[in-house]
Amino acid sequence: MTHSVCKQCGHVLLMTSLLALEKPLCPKCGNKYFTMKFHCSLEFLPHGSTRVKQKGPYHKSDKKLRREHFVGMEANKDGGLMVKERLIDKDADVYYEYVRGI
Ligand SMILES: [Zn+2]
């Protein structure tokens, strides 16, 4: 997830915190309009693999990468290909990895 910025007062809060509220209103001014800002990159890799990275602009440089999703094939240490899916979402505290040989 990423941060939401109140369009009225500029208050910044985590999107997960906003969604957890009974009414998604700014806790500072009560406004209901927010702007979400994040950087996203999509890499097309060999063997039809893709990797999506989402960075949050409000984090320090070493913590900007908030979410990464890899789907496709990757070589293991012996050089053989394996099917792999990996999801890392730091804000949602999720780590999922599925690996299968082919
Ligand atoms: Zn506000």
Side-chain angles (χ1 to χ4, degrees), residues 41-75:
S41 66
L42 171 62
E43 295 175 70
F44 295 100
L45 304 166
H47 310 296
S49 303
T50 57
R51 178 180 292 128
V52 178
K53 291 181 179 180
Q54 182 179 325
K55 295 180 178 181
Y58 300 101
H59 292 84
K60 293 178 182 173
S61 60
D62 60 332
K63 297 186 188 251
K64 276 190 186 282
L65 184 60
R66 307 311 302 162
R67 191 172 196 274
E68 182 174 352
H69 191 196
F70 174 89
V71 178
M73 289 195 272
E74 202 171 72

Side-chain angles (χ1 to χ4, degrees), residues 6 9 11 26 28-29 31:
C6 175
C9 73
H11 183 63
C26 174
K28 199 171 177 183
C29 74
N31 183 37

Side-chain angles (χ1 to χ4, degrees), residues 16-102:
T16 49
S17 303
L18 180 66
L19 294 174
L21 297 172
E22 189 174 328
K23 290 183 178 180
L25 304 174
C26 174
K28 199 171 177 183
C29 74
N31 183 37
K32 63 180 179 181
Y33 299 104
F34 296 88
T35 301
M36 289 180 10
K37 204 188 281 187
F38 56 87
H39 302 280
C40 188
S41 66
L42 171 62
E43 295 175 70
F44 295 100
L45 304 166
H47 310 296
S49 303
T50 57
R51 178 180 292 128
V52 178
K53 291 181 179 180
Q54 182 179 325
K55 295 180 178 181
Y58 300 101
H59 292 84
K60 293 178 182 173
S61 60
D62 60 332
K63 297 186 188 251
K64 276 190 186 282
L65 184 60
R66 307 311 302 162
R67 191 172 196 274
E68 182 174 352
H69 191 196
F70 174 89
V71 178
M73 289 195 272
E74 202 171 72
N76 63 20
K77 64 181 179 184
D78 300 323
L81 282 177
M82 56 188 183
V83 175
K84 183 176 174 180
E85 179 176 5
R86 183 174 61 209
L87 172 64
I88 302 169
D89 190 327
K90 293 179 180 174
D91 295 329
D93 197 22
V94 169
Y95 182 90
Y96 166 80
E97 188 171 62
Y98 172 81
V99 179
R100 174 175 58 86
I102 54 173

